Amino acid sequence: MIPTPMWRRYARFFGADPVADVDDELRFHLETKTEELIAQGWQPGEARKEAERQFGDLRMIRNVGKAFGQKDQKRKRFNDYWTDAQQDLRYTFRILLRDRGFAAISVLILALAIGANISVFSVVNSLLLRPLPFPESNRLVWIAPPPSECGLSCATYSADAYDEFRAGNRTFQDVTGYFAFSTADNLRLRGHGDPVPVTGLDVIGNFFQVLGVQPAMGRLFTADEGRKGSQPAVLLSNAFWKRQFAADPNIIGKPISLSGQAGELVTVVGVLPASFDFGAVFAPGTRIDVFTPLYLDQARDWGNIVTLIGRLKPHVTAAQALDDANRIAPDIYFNVKYPETKGRYKGDLIPVSLKDHVTGALRRSLIILWSAVGLILLIAGVNLSNLLLARSAARAKEFAIRSALGASRSRVVRQLLMESFVLSSAGAVLGIALAAILLRWLSHQGSLALPLLSSLRIDGHAAGWSVLIVTFTALLFGFLPGLRMSRVNHQEALKDSGQRAGLGRTHERLRSTLVVSEIALACVLLISAGLLLRSFLKVLDVDLGFRPDSAASIKFDYEDSAPTFEAAAAKRGAIFQQALTQISALPGVEAAGIADYLPLGPNRQWDEPAPQGKTFARGTLPSPLVYVVSPGFFRAMGIQFEGRDFTWADNLQSQRVVLINHSAARVYWPGESAVGKILMRGKEADHVIGVVNDVREEDVEAGTGSQIYYPATQQDPAGAQLVIRTSLPPASLATGILHILRALNPRQPAAEFRPLRTIVDRAVSPRRFFMMLVGAFASLGVLLAALGIYGIISYSVTQKTQEIGVRMALGATTGRVRRDVILSTLRLAAIGIVTGTVVSITSARLIASLLFGTSPWDMTTYLVMMLAILAVALMSGYLPARRASRVDPLAALRIQ
Amino acid sequence: MVDTKLEFLRGTLDVLILKALVWGPLHGYAITSLIRGHSDHALLLEEGTLYPALWRLQSKGLLAADWGLSENNRKAKFYRLTSEGRRQLHHEIKTWEAYATAVAKVLSAKEPSLSEVAK
């Protein structure tokens, strides 16, 4: 056996060497055996040989030993590491428990920042990153004309256009759509007691097949059910089935009474899955209870009423789909079948991915929001870095002792990283809980007109994101102090008695830099939030054209079945007049009127009236939005008008009359009064009896186009919304008004008054939502920055207690001391604010598209926000300043 | 002294090692001597095969090892029983006794009872 070289033995000082161990062990055995044999009288050489013979296959056994040794070694090393880590962890918990205040503040800051980040990530994930909840949803497209200002009618197609497009295209696997003009609570469910208002939607028979939605129970519509005269069928939404039918498992095949006006039995053929939420995708903030087949043949003369949604054939690109759509566009009757309108009525058909149609408009807002929470995370990280740095300064002695006892530099860094990791993990756990609460609340905000909200949840991606965030924050705010600590001169630290512990100026400079960057980041956030807030105020300040306050509306369900159009108009006029007369007589009612559509909701247009005696170039005449209203409507809405209102005497026997808005009047009769002029619609002459204010029709932030009002006594309204203006709370009038409506029509369902304000609130809710979130983040950022300032100033005051004491003993006044401290605060704040403002000015363009009536470089906002942050900085610097000025010179000197 | 040298049954070595360590820590050489002595040199043990068994028992946690000085004042690796090893030894001894009793019963049988066989 070859003897072990000396260096191997030497090397064993540095830990176990499994190979050498095996050799040693076997060598001992052989040597002892040899000696024993010699003692028995063997010759030394022979004895050695005999010992090896009795031992067996030495080389094989040695190899076995090596393998065991190495395995053992590995296990031991892992055990050691684990023991160390456990030790670090236990120590960390002990330290953090001792510094409870510090730990609580850190965890809270992190929880807020991480919670905000996970919430926003989940929103971004649900709205932008995750595909729509349909199979192969990337092949679904929304087909629409280029954006225009003529409302829903311009975004929809006629039944003929649908048929022609479906037959003529080559790139689509199938095309479907739905009736775009449905209104809330357009149906009644009757069975027991009061009829229940139900929102129904007519969809083209293949709607669910094209989307790829499978029923939870029963079946989808058959091709036959899209024809008039077939057995009426209905599909229930999952929520409605649960709510109204207590999730009855035997509902399929049952007839239910579901109708608009005349009583009608329809058969439930299926229940849709809970995962299908029509409103979430196609009409944010609305709820659809039931789906019925759209009778295309009957709809043929209704003009533009259906949306177009297509599913592309596999492997078809967007460009191919666009070419295909443009190719067939000229052959399509875009409106009803008048030969002269063929291929003329609208521009192109543009297929866009359904996902873009649903969430495209929100992309920028969400990215801004995401950046804002990213800034919050940075600020929180910087803040904690600062806190840890201050704390590590106080712990310099502890680290000095540890390193004197043999802790390596990496061990010190590891300890600090462990602490920051424990803190961020705790912050993350709390943050996820906060985010879950916030998301739960958000996803139940029915009034928030944002798509896909109901699908908000913390999923695997969000969890992964939070792990990323925790790692990032742990490194960000643990590494810097760790690095600084490991560089500290420990001898100095041990010698020094006080808290200053040999850290000195560079340390303070680092902390100041951190605070300055914190203020700068907060400043950027605050200025963006300020710009958004100003935009929001501008939006609220928009002249809507009507006065939403002190007015409310309720759906009026009247019975107007009559053999002829004339008879129906007469009957309707009588019912409206009776209802409005009685309601106006109620105490507290100032005005009452009826219209089929209200502003900021669905709308439509009919055709292109032309002023009598004038010629316009083709295509230059507007196609106004159409409202059919009763006398009194304008006063009830608070819409100002000149000329006269409709009266009950304006009926089919009298002259045809209309009111138009200022925009229309300017186009038809520029520079002249429109009152008394005549508008021609085909052969019919409509006398303009008044001009009304422009009313915001679709969106508070968009401009208004031409609008035209017809009397409900001469035109057929699509429905009836009763509007009342009252000085009393509308709810107090509900009983009286419902009583009157019931007397006129026993089928009138119990409905609630909707204050007009809610219509406006809903319309501005996305902007309010974003503004509130960005505002909240900005406040959080400012709060964190204030904490940062407070932290560093009070820390430096503590450090300079002796210096201040000496100065005061030498005659410095308290005012002077206080001023010095405040000045140093101001210096930090000023640098931060200037940096932040410069960054804001250069980056403001990014949020320009989110602003309304506000310049991205709006001076007022910048000044106000800069002053605000300066004030916050002063406040957080004031407390330490006051403490500094109260230093007792004698006490301070005695410390030394 | 028996003439025939007995080969080890599978697992026997382990239980003998455990038993050898009952009175205190021993190094490998001492274990071989002890087994040889107590079996009156009946058990044939190729000394080297002892070590893989020792290492295996150590990695199972039944034995622990420390370096120490031998009687002849040399550095040697001493094995001792862990509490786990002691438990294992008791268990093995019981198994062995049951096994030996059963084998002995069969070997000492005089004549097969037909009724027993028919059962």
Side-chain angles (χ1 to χ4, degrees):
Chain A
M1 190 174 166
I2 308 152
T4 318
M6 266 322 275
W7 64 265
R8 273 277 276 288
R9 303 214 137 260
Y10 181 71
R12 295 199 46 194
F13 269 118
F14 299 100
D17 175 350
V19 180
D21 276 356
V22 170
D23 286 346
D24 284 351
E25 185 172 14
L26 300 185
R27 186 184 318 103
F28 168 78
H29 184 105
L30 287 171
E31 283 171 3
T32 313
K33 180 88 186 176
T34 309
E35 279 167 25
E36 208 180 282
L37 289 171
I38 291 172
Q40 286 173 16
W42 290 66
Q43 291 301 309
E46 293 298 308
R48 175 79 191 183
K49 269 191 199 137
E50 176 59 18
E52 284 182 24
R53 195 192 59 76
Q54 285 193 17
F55 191 85
D57 189 344
L58 181 61
R59 190 211 291 261
M60 194 267 284
I61 290 167
R62 196 168 158 258
N63 284 340
V64 174
K66 267 200 302 197
F68 269 113
Q70 272 153 0
K71 217 170 78 190
D72 222 37
Q73 180 85 354
K74 225 182 259 169
R75 205 187 60 218
K76 229 180 237 158
R77 211 174 296 149
F78 178 78
N79 278 350
D80 281 358
Y81 190 83
W82 183 231
T83 322
D84 274 7
Q86 274 180 319
Q87 210 179 354
D88 279 0
L89 201 63
R90 262 199 307 274
Y91 183 67
T92 300
F93 276 116
R94 220 169 44 229
I95 287 249
L96 292 180
L97 271 181
R98 205 177 60 200
D99 284 2
R100 247 171 255 138
F102 161 78
I105 285 187
S106 314
V107 170
L108 190 69
I109 289 174
L110 278 170
L112 289 173
I114 292 175
N117 266 277
I118 295 171
S119 313
V120 171
F121 177 81
S122 298
V123 174
V124 169
N125 187 28
S126 305
L127 268 59
L128 294 188
L129 306 181
R130 224 189 281 151
L132 290 177
F134 304 118
E136 291 179 70
S137 62
N138 58 332
R139 278 164 53 204
L140 290 173
V141 291
W142 177 263
I143 306 158
S148 63
E149 281 193 3
C150 61
L152 217 42
S153 294
C154 281
T156 46
Y157 297 91
S158 66
D160 286 324
Y162 166 76
D163 283 342
E164 285 159 4
F165 184 85
R166 191 174 181 216
N169 81 79
R170 292 173 195 157
T171 49
F172 290 86
Q173 191 173 301
D174 203 354
V175 184
T176 189
Y178 59 88
F179 179 65
F181 291 86
S182 271
T183 50
D185 300 340
N186 55 351
L187 299 174
R188 315 271 160 259
L189 176 69
R190 290 172 228 279
H192 312 282
D194 279 350
V196 179
V198 173
T199 304
L201 181 78
D202 293 344
V203 298
I204 295 178
N206 61 353
F207 186 72
F208 299 102
Q209 285 89 342
V210 171
L211 290 182
V213 174
Q214 295 298 323
M217 270 174 38
R219 58 167 175 86
L220 300 172
F221 296 129
T222 62
D224 247 6
E225 280 161 346
R227 294 195 189 94
K228 185 76 180 155
S230 59
Q231 182 71 30
V234 66
L235 281 164
L236 309 182
S237 83
N238 208 279
F240 184 69
W241 170 58
K242 285 184 182 144
R243 191 174 67 235
Q244 220 42 257
F245 298 100
D248 176 6
N250 303 314
I251 189 81
I252 306 299
K254 276 190 188 164
I256 57 173
S257 168
L258 191 66
S259 62
Q261 285 161 13
E264 194 182 354
L265 287 181
V266 294
T267 310
V268 177
V269 298
V271 175
L272 292 165
S275 58
F276 177 70
D277 184 350
F278 179 89
V281 178
F282 296 99
T286 63
R287 178 199 88 208
I288 305 291
D289 301 319
V290 300
F291 295 86
T292 43
L294 173 64
Y295 301 127
L296 276 177
D297 289 328
Q298 188 188 28
R300 220 154 280 284
D301 296 329
W302 291 355
N304 296 327
I305 51 149
V306 295
T307 60
L308 282 191
I309 298 160
R311 182 178 277 279
L312 293 174
K313 289 177 180 162
H315 312 303
V316 168
T317 64
Q320 285 169 331
L322 183 61
D323 281 351
D324 189 35
N326 282 337
R327 179 183 58 77
I328 43 180
D331 302 329
I332 288 180
Y333 285 101
F334 275 104
N335 201 355
V336 282
K337 273 187 173 168
Y338 298 126
E340 70 273 15
T341 69
K342 181 157 180 150
R344 178 181 74 82
Y345 189 75
K346 280 179 197 164
D348 305 319
L349 295 105
I350 302 176
V352 292
S353 106
L354 186 58
K355 171 96 186 164
D356 282 351
H357 168 71
V358 173
T359 60
L362 296 170
R363 186 172 293 136
R364 191 167 273 268
S365 314
L366 285 174
I367 288 173
I368 298 281
L369 213 52
W370 207 0
S371 328
V373 286
L375 287 186
I376 286 293
L377 191 64
L378 270 183
I379 296 178
V382 167
N383 221 330
L384 282 157
S385 208
N386 232 339
L387 274 174
L388 269 185
L389 208 57
R391 197 162 145 279
S392 66
R395 284 170 69 192
K397 209 161 170 181
E398 171 201 333
F399 285 114
I401 292 169
R402 284 189 73 161
S403 80
L405 291 176
S408 64
R409 175 173 291 193
S410 67
R411 192 72 195 271
V412 170
V413 174
R414 201 170 87 181
Q415 171 67 34
L416 282 170
L417 277 181
M418 177 72 88
E419 286 173 24
S420 70
F421 187 74
V422 167
L423 288 176
S424 2
S425 301
V429 170
L430 198 60
I432 288 177
L434 284 179
I437 294 170
L438 185 67
L439 290 178
R440 208 186 141 67
W441 176 78
L442 266 183
S443 61
H444 287 84
Q445 290 301 297
S447 62
L448 199 55
L450 278 178
L452 303 175
L453 271 188
S454 55
S455 67
L456 269 187
R457 60 171 191 272
I458 298 179
D459 63 0
H461 290 106
W465 181 245
S466 42
V467 169
L468 216 76
I469 287 175
V470 171
T471 317
F472 172 74
T473 43
L475 287 177
L476 177 76
F477 78 82
F479 202 64
L480 196 59
L483 216 59
R484 299 263 344 145
M485 276 325 294
S486 67
R487 291 223 188 106
V488 163
N489 182 336
H490 295 301
Q491 260 85 45
E492 286 301 311
L494 275 178
K495 261 187 266 168
D496 200 326
S497 55
Q499 281 181 308
R500 304 183 57 176
L503 289 167
R505 299 282 165 200
T506 49
H507 210 138
E508 200 175 314
R509 203 166 327 136
L510 181 66
R511 281 168 50 75
S512 302
T513 315
L514 288 178
V515 165
V516 165
S517 47
E518 214 172 47
I519 296 174
L521 290 171
C523 195
V524 172
L525 269 180
L526 203 59
I527 286 174
S528 312
L531 291 172
L532 285 175
L533 176 65
R534 202 166 154 83
S535 302
F536 184 64
L537 294 178
K538 283 264 167 70
V539 168
L540 290 187
D541 216 28
V542 157
D543 179 10
L544 297 165
F546 62 96
R547 289 184 290 120
D549 297 314
S550 327
S553 75
I554 190 170
K555 206 174 152 77
F556 178 20
D557 201 22
Y558 61 94
E559 181 74 61
D560 72 343
S561 52
T564 61
F565 173 74
E566 286 76 13
K571 186 174 172 189
R572 182 171 60 237
I575 293 173
F576 280 13
Q577 184 174 8
Q578 204 179 341
L580 291 178
T581 314
Q582 290 178 17
I583 288 168
S584 302
L586 287 175
V589 175
E590 291 168 7
I594 292 170
D596 53 357
Y597 289 115
L598 294 182
L600 299 178
N603 52 44
R604 50 81 217 242
Q605 49 179 192
W606 283 340
D607 46 17
E608 298 170 11
Q612 193 186 41
K614 289 181 127 184
T615 48
F616 280 78
R618 199 177 186 187
T620 56
L621 272 178
S623 190
L625 288 181
V626 172
Y627 297 93
V628 178
V629 306
S630 76
F633 171 74
F634 298 114
R635 273 195 308 281
M637 285 292 287
I639 301 173
Q640 289 191 336
F641 64 97
E642 47 198 68
R644 73 167 175 91
D645 191 2
F646 297 126
T647 66
W648 299 110
D650 296 316
N651 55 29
L652 287 176
Q653 283 72 49
S654 66
Q655 196 178 57
R656 303 182 71 92
V657 290
V658 293
L659 277 92
I660 58 175
N661 72 346
H662 284 298
S663 290
R666 268 196 301 279
V667 177
Y668 297 140
W669 296 284
E672 300 172 58
S673 165
V675 179
K677 302 284 198 314
I678 292 174
L679 267 181
M680 299 302 295
R681 281 196 305 136
K683 293 202 175 66
E684 284 178 358
D686 293 327
H687 294 259
V688 178
I689 56 168
V691 178
V692 304
N693 266 3
D694 289 1
V695 169
R696 298 280 162 161
E697 54 214 16
E698 283 182 85
D699 186 347
V700 176
E701 299 178 30
T704 54
S706 300
Q707 292 150 3
I708 188 163
Y709 296 85
Y710 294 101
T713 41
Q714 290 178 347
Q715 288 287 349
D716 196 5
Q721 305 276 345
L722 170 70
V723 180
I724 57 152
R725 177 159 294 279
T726 166
S727 48
L728 302 173
S732 66
L733 293 169
T735 327
I737 288 175
L738 269 178
H739 186 73
I740 293 169
L741 298 181
R742 283 261 167 81
L744 290 167
N745 176 19
R747 291 178 184 280
Q748 170 73 33
E752 274 178 31
F753 266 111
R754 203 157 56 121
L756 288 193
R757 184 40 77 185
T758 62
I759 299 177
V760 182
D761 285 347
R762 232 185 76 82
V764 300
S765 64
R767 178 172 282 281
R768 184 195 300 271
F769 170 67
F770 284 116
M771 193 217 49
M772 269 166 42
L773 281 186
V774 173
F777 296 153
S779 321
L780 189 57
V782 171
L783 180 73
L784 293 180
L787 272 178
I789 296 174
Y790 173 77
I792 188 179
I793 298 295
S794 57
Y795 176 69
S796 96
V797 165
T798 315
Q799 293 231 307
K800 290 183 188 152
T801 309
Q802 292 167 22
E803 186 188 323
I804 294 169
V806 172
R807 283 179 55 197
M808 289 179 83
L810 292 177
T813 60
T814 54
R816 164 124 202 154
V817 168
R818 196 179 297 180
R819 208 184 62 204
D820 282 355
V821 175
I822 287 181
L823 272 181
S824 66
T825 311
L826 269 183
R827 215 189 62 225
L828 291 183
I831 302 173
I833 289 172
V834 169
T835 319
T837 309
V838 170
V839 173
S840 293
I841 288 172
T842 49
S843 65
R845 248 176 322 119
L846 298 178
I847 66 163
S849 67
L850 294 184
L851 301 180
F852 175 82
T854 310
S855 152
W857 297 282
D858 182 61
M859 273 287 279
T860 326
T861 309
Y862 275 70
L863 278 177
V864 169
M865 292 304 158
M866 285 161 78
L867 282 176
I869 213 163
L870 197 66
V872 170
L874 279 182
M875 274 195 289
S876 33
Y878 178 74
L879 286 178
R882 208 178 54 178
R883 212 173 60 224
S885 65
R886 289 191 184 156
V887 165
D888 175 3
L890 282 179
L893 289 173
R894 213 175 293 135
I895 292 175
Q896 208 153 35
Chain B
M1 196 175 154
V2 189
D3 276 349
T4 46
K5 303 240 170 181
L6 301 174
E7 294 285 344
F8 276 95
L9 284 173
R10 220 180 157 69
T12 319
L13 182 56
D14 287 4
V15 67
L16 292 183
I17 292 173
L18 292 176
K19 176 71 185 173
L21 292 172
V22 154
W23 300 282
L26 292 175
H27 50 71
Y29 188 76
I31 295 173
T32 56
S33 311
L34 190 133
I35 291 175
R36 202 186 310 127
H38 280 288
S39 69
D40 295 337
H41 300 265
L43 290 173
L44 175 75
L45 177 64
E46 193 177 64
E47 289 166 15
T49 53
L50 173 77
Y51 286 93
L54 281 172
W55 296 324
R56 197 177 57 244
L57 292 173
Q58 187 186 356
S59 76
K60 274 190 195 165
L62 301 180
L63 300 184
D66 309 287
W67 288 92
L69 283 181
S70 69
E71 318 76 59
N72 54 6
N73 229 8
R74 284 220 205 107
K75 202 179 88 157
K77 194 172 175 187
F78 284 84
Y79 293 90
R80 59 184 155 81
L81 278 181
T82 60
S83 48
E84 181 72 14
R86 210 167 281 277
R87 255 199 305 281
Q88 181 70 15
L89 175 62
H90 285 301
H91 176 73
E92 300 258 332
I93 288 175
K94 263 189 207 144
T95 314
W96 259 104
E97 281 168 352
Y99 180 71
T101 316
V103 172
K105 268 187 190 162
V106 176
L107 293 182
S108 60
K110 298 291 178 216
E111 190 188 330
S113 126
L114 279 176
S115 60
E116 285 288 311
V117 170
K119 254 184 199 171

